[in-house]
Amino acid sequence: MDINHLISEYGYAALVIGSVAEGETITLLGGVAAHQGLLRFPLVVLAVALGGMIGDQLLYLVGRRYGTKILRRFSRHREKIHQAQTLIRRHPYLFVIGSRFMYGFRIIGPLLIGTSRLRPKIFLPLNIIGAIVWALLFTTLGYVGGEVIGPWLHQFDQHVKRWIWLILAIALVFCLRWWFRHRRKKRQRNASED
């Protein structure tokens, strides 16, 4: 099992999927992989931007459809939600592009935007622009960080197999332990029924 081969083979798909759910970490790792020559930098930016755009678009649509119901559950944060919605109405362009850069707004931001009833024809192009800027910035940071992390990654591949065997051995010990306990309890139940 060669981790570099796996990254080269499935890296772009993993970047798209990972960027839908969580962004910065996967984007930085994509930049590191591009620095190592395992992936191509422009394709990393494209994959990450696509995943980020899809994730935000889905959350925006959920916000348009169910946002009011979802936000009712967060009654403790009603004031903050109101402030964010006011900001969306005043500066929709800045909020749509900037929400992916605001800590804690990665998931709630597009949901709030959808709830605010910002029209899809405005949200979609801004979402694309924001996703490209975000992907370019974090991929570049990962690429630059690859200089520092690169030597560690070469050693990581050598240690992966050992860690996998160790984890499997520990899992086997726990499974056997559970099986023996389960078997002993079953015997005790059968003995007490007799």
Side-chain angles (χ1 to χ4, degrees):
M1 170 166 117
D2 181 24
I3 191 116
N4 292 337
H5 176 71
L6 290 173
I7 292 171
S8 298
E9 189 75 25
Y10 302 107
Y12 300 113
L15 288 171
V16 171
I17 293 167
S19 298
V20 168
E22 195 281 323
E24 287 80 13
T25 305
I26 197 80
T27 305
L28 290 169
L29 290 174
V32 171
H35 181 272
Q36 296 299 313
L38 301 171
L39 301 173
R40 295 184 55 218
F41 184 85
L43 294 178
V44 169
V45 172
L46 184 64
V48 168
L50 179 65
M53 194 255 329
I54 289 170
D56 283 6
Q57 194 68 37
L58 290 172
L59 288 168
Y60 166 79
L61 293 172
V62 168
R64 281 187 63 86
R65 177 83 172 157
Y66 306 105
T68 307
K69 291 178 185 177
I70 293 171
L71 293 179
R72 277 190 210 134
R73 296 178 181 207
F74 298 99
S75 59
R76 293 186 330 197
H77 304 289
R78 188 168 290 156
E79 183 60 34
K80 290 180 182 179
I81 291 170
H82 179 68
Q83 289 173 347
Q85 288 175 329
T86 302
L87 189 61
I88 293 167
R89 282 191 294 278
R90 287 186 187 158
H91 307 287
Y93 301 109
L94 290 175
F95 195 88
V96 171
I97 292 173
S99 67
R100 66 179 70 243
F101 294 98
M102 291 186 268
Y103 181 77
F105 269 82
R106 177 78 172 124
I107 293 177
I108 194 73
L111 199 72
L112 287 170
I113 296 166
T115 305
S116 74
R117 298 293 176 200
L118 183 69
R119 294 188 316 247
K121 69 180 185 178
I122 294 174
F123 179 77
L124 181 61
L126 292 174
N127 185 25
I128 293 170
I129 291 167
I132 291 170
V133 169
W134 172 80
L136 191 57
L137 177 71
F138 279 95
T139 303
T140 301
L141 287 172
Y143 190 88
V144 171
E147 189 71 35
V148 174
I149 219 166
W152 179 81
L153 284 176
H154 289 297
Q155 293 176 354
F156 177 74
D157 187 37
Q158 297 170 2
H159 299 293
V160 166
K161 291 178 187 173
R162 293 180 193 142
W163 280 103
I164 290 173
W165 282 113
L166 179 64
I167 291 168
L168 287 173
I170 291 170
L172 179 64
V173 167
F174 278 108
C175 288
L176 287 172
R177 187 174 173 195
W178 174 84
W179 184 73
F180 282 122
R181 280 186 179 176
H182 179 71
R183 190 172 161 197
R184 185 174 10 142
K185 286 179 183 178
K186 191 174 180 179
R187 284 183 189 163
Q188 288 173 351
R189 268 186 263 138
N190 289 342
S192 65
E193 290 176 4
D194 291 340

